[in-house]
Amino acid sequence: MPQIIGNILAAEISVVYYGLFNWRKRKLKENEFSYHKESTANSVILGFLLVIVVEAFVTHSMIKVGNSKGTFILTTLSIYTFLQVLALIKSLSRRPVFIDLKKKQVVLKFGILANAIIPFETIKEIEVSTKEFSEKSPIKYFSPLGSSSGHNVIIYLNKNIKFESFYGFKKKATSLAVFIDAKNDFVNLN
């Protein structure tokens, strides 16, 4: 099947998997790092979840009076959107950042929304930093939530890399701002 269809299908399967089936907690293994415990990402995503619940209730109540088909469609869309956001929250703790010493690469993840594989030889410097930067800066947020999820590590690269966003969309960056809970251990391991 074409790559774009495969990417969309994989994203939808991961939503169902993390939203409905994967309920066990995952312990971090050696060279794995969480990014969800101390960042603001969970708060931002939980805020979206609250908005979805309120919006679904209000929309359902308003449309219920007039159009039953419209009510059913909007309620179904709200439930699926709730499932997508729930899957995202759960995937944050189950898809950690990983430093693969055998393959000499850093595997960055942001739940089901973003993936990047950065070979060691493309890393120029890793800096512990929470400094602000403009949108015109060559530093890009790895999180699709942008600056609202925060950052405490900046990975400077010596060349452009491509990384995947949700549904397989590609993005380019020469420097990435990420959030790592154990930032000092992460920097020292590289």
Side-chain angles (χ1 to χ4, degrees):
M1 85 179 43
Q3 184 177 3
I4 191 155
I5 293 172
N7 289 337
I8 291 170
L9 187 60
E12 294 303 325
I13 289 170
S14 67
V15 165
V16 171
Y17 174 72
Y18 286 106
L20 298 177
F21 299 112
N22 191 339
W23 288 94
R24 266 190 304 176
K25 290 205 177 229
R26 184 180 188 282
K27 291 187 177 187
L28 292 176
K29 298 176 184 167
E30 185 178 3
N31 301 333
E32 288 185 339
F33 298 89
S34 64
Y35 49 88
H36 68 286
K37 294 177 183 175
E38 297 177 20
S39 77
T40 58
N42 274 340
S43 301
V44 171
I45 296 168
L46 285 172
F48 285 140
L49 207 56
L50 180 63
V51 168
I52 291 167
V53 169
V54 170
E55 175 269 335
F57 178 74
V58 171
T59 304
H60 183 78
S61 298
M62 289 173 45
I63 294 181
K64 184 168 74 172
V65 177
N67 185 348
S68 63
K69 287 182 184 176
T71 302
F72 176 75
I73 290 169
L74 287 176
T75 302
T76 303
L77 287 173
S78 293
I79 290 169
Y80 188 68
T81 303
F82 180 87
L83 180 66
Q84 285 181 316
V85 175
L86 179 66
L88 172 59
I89 289 173
K90 288 174 53 184
S91 69
L92 292 178
S93 65
R94 288 158 178 83
R95 301 192 74 222
V97 168
F98 175 62
I99 297 177
D100 189 343
L101 297 174
K102 288 182 183 176
K103 294 183 181 178
K104 297 185 180 185
Q105 61 189 14
V106 176
V107 181
L108 293 177
K109 297 178 184 178
F110 189 85
I112 56 175
L113 290 185
N115 297 305
I117 297 175
I118 306 171
F120 287 170
E121 67 264 9
T122 62
I123 298 174
K124 187 187 326 179
E125 176 188 359
I126 299 178
E127 173 187 18
V128 174
S129 173
T130 57
K131 69 180 177 186
E132 297 288 324
F133 50 88
S134 70
E135 287 186 29
K136 295 178 182 179
S137 170
I139 303 170
K140 303 293 179 206
Y141 283 99
F142 178 66
S143 164
L145 301 176
S147 62
S148 61
S149 65
H151 72 280
N152 61 3
V153 173
I154 299 175
I155 302 173
Y156 296 98
L157 307 166
N158 53 30
K159 67 178 186 176
N160 259 351
I161 63 154
K162 287 184 181 179
F163 63 96
E164 277 189 25
S165 190
F166 199 54
Y167 290 129
F169 291 109
K170 303 281 187 207
K171 293 183 176 182
K172 291 181 182 179
T174 55
S175 298
L176 289 172
V178 298
F179 192 94
I180 305 291
D181 290 330
K183 61 185 178 278
N184 293 325
D185 294 339
F186 176 78
V187 170
N188 291 336
L189 195 56
N190 283 302

